Amino acid sequence: QCVPDLKGLRVLEVGCGDGGLFRELTRRGANVTAVDVAPEIADARVRTGDFMKMPDLPDSFDLVMATAVFELGSGWTPSPLIPEDPGAQLLARLRQVTHPGSLVVMENIGFPILFSAAQARAAGFIPVMTPVPAVNTMRGGRGCTLRRQ
C-alpha cells in the first residue's frame, strides 16, 4: 500500500459525493477536508465549491484523493481563461495544495486521466507504481498515483 497508516494525515478528498470515502478516511484516523460542487453530506469539514477555483484551501495536504471527478463529462470543465490544456491546469492546482512527499490518487471511471506521465513529471510529480494496474504511463490511462517531488 502507498499509504498504510492514515492516522494524523491531512487528506483532501475532491468530489466527496455522499461521503462514503470521507467517512472511511475519517474512521481510519485521517484529518479529512472535502470539496464538492454539490456535496450530499453535511459536515463542517466539507466545503461546497469548485476545487479548481477555491482560493482558501490549505497548501499542505499529505494525500489528495479524487474518484471520477476530473473527467471531461463528469461536470468538471477546464477554465477557458487559462490558455493551458486541462491536464496542465489540474497538475498546477494539485501542486498548490500539496507539499514535497504528498501523494495524489486519482481514479476515473469512464474517461482517461487528463495528463501523461511525462506531463506529471514536468509538473514535479513522480508516478508511483501500485499493485493495481492504474498507473498512467501515457494519455489514455484511467487512474494514477503521483508523489510530489
Side-chain angles (χ1 to χ4, degrees):
Q1 290 184 356
C2 289
V3 185
D5 183 13
L6 297 174
K7 190 169 183 153
L9 288 184
R10 293 186 49 146
V11 177
L12 173 64
E13 183 188 4
V14 181
C16 63
D18 66 6
L21 181 59
F22 175 88
R23 285 189 290 277
E24 178 61 19
L25 293 167
T26 301
R27 186 189 70 74
R28 291 186 58 195
N31 296 319
V32 186
T33 299
V35 174
D36 197 302
V37 293
E40 300 169 32
I41 179 176
D43 189 289
R45 298 166 294 173
V46 177
R47 299 180 185 192
T48 301
D50 183 340
F51 166 73
M52 296 296 288
K53 299 173 185 160
M54 193 168 280
D56 61 342
L57 284 175
D59 61 357
S60 60
F61 289 102
D62 302 305
L63 174 63
V64 176
M65 300 189 75
T67 303
V69 176
F70 300 111
E71 302 185 73
L72 296 177
S74 67
W76 178 70
T77 54
S79 171
L81 302 175
I82 302 173
E84 297 178 272
D85 70 47
Q89 290 179 43
L90 177 54
L91 288 164
R93 182 64 172 137
L94 290 169
R95 191 164 172 81
Q96 289 174 346
V97 298
T98 58
H99 58 79
S102 295
L103 285 176
V104 175
V105 179
M106 298 174 58
E107 186 65 35
N108 285 353
I109 295 170
F111 294 89
I113 295 293
L114 299 171
F115 51 82
S116 67
Q119 286 175 299
R121 284 186 195 97
F125 291 94
I126 299 169
V128 176
M129 299 303 284
T130 62
V132 178
V135 175
N136 182 31
T137 56
M138 53 191 283
R139 258 185 222 268
R142 291 211 165 109
C144 68
T145 300
L146 305 171
R147 183 176 303 278
R148 169 130 175 242
Q149 296 183 42

